[in-house]
Amino acid sequence: MKGLLIKDLRLSCSNKVFFIAIFFIGLTFMSGGGAEQASMVVGYISMMFGFGVLNTMAYDEMDGSGIFLLTMPIDRKIYVLEKYIYGILSIVTGGVLSAVVCGIILHCFNKPFLFSILCVVAVIALMLFLMI
């Protein structure tokens, strides 16, 4: 089970641009309001981290590694259990990280206009970086 979790974590790390973009999109959502937007941002980022599990299942299907994994001493129940555990871990991780970031933002930036300008500049910089 530990090996399967490490495999899925490495697959998710290969999609780090996706997760960075999700955080910047969440920051852009935060620029629209204060504490009432924070709960929506935490839910959004948690949900998007949960979609990372679907990406790992798609990679497993595309590579044909599901067939290879079942030739090892791993049965389908362990494989499914690992996907559930990885999903729960990724959702909790996304929720905790986004809650901490939202808390820091709400504590440090009292002026939403300044923060919205910073978010727009950060999103534009990210898009330019992704285009290069």
Side-chain angles (χ1 to χ4, degrees):
M1 173 102 61
K2 180 180 172 185
L4 291 173
L5 285 170
I6 291 171
K7 175 191 72 78
D8 284 341
L9 183 64
R10 288 189 180 177
L11 275 174
S12 293
C13 286
S14 68
N15 292 332
K16 60 187 161 202
V17 174
F18 170 73
F19 292 112
I20 292 170
I22 293 303
F23 267 115
F24 277 111
I25 291 170
L27 287 176
T28 306
F29 287 156
M30 272 297 287
S31 68
E36 57 272 353
Q37 287 291 98
S39 62
M40 195 282 290
V41 170
V42 170
Y44 172 76
I45 291 176
S46 298
M47 182 181 66
M48 295 308 286
F49 269 59
F51 283 141
V53 177
L54 296 176
N55 286 340
T56 61
M57 291 190 328
Y59 278 126
D60 287 347
E61 186 69 29
M62 184 178 62
D63 292 346
S65 62
I67 298 168
F68 175 72
L69 287 173
L70 294 177
T71 60
M72 298 178 149
I74 296 170
D75 59 350
R76 292 181 195 270
K77 291 180 183 179
I78 293 174
Y79 181 74
V80 170
L81 179 66
E82 183 270 334
K83 291 297 180 187
Y84 275 109
I85 290 172
Y86 183 69
I88 290 169
L89 287 175
S90 64
I91 288 170
V92 168
T93 302
V96 168
L97 286 175
S98 60
V100 167
V101 170
C102 287
I104 291 171
I105 288 170
L106 289 175
H107 182 69
C108 293
F109 294 101
N110 292 328
K111 298 178 182 176
F113 180 71
L114 175 66
F115 180 66
S116 63
I117 290 173
L118 289 174
C119 285
V120 168
V121 169
V123 168
I124 290 171
L126 176 70
M127 293 304 165
L128 289 175
F129 175 73
L130 293 177
M131 288 173 30
I132 293 176

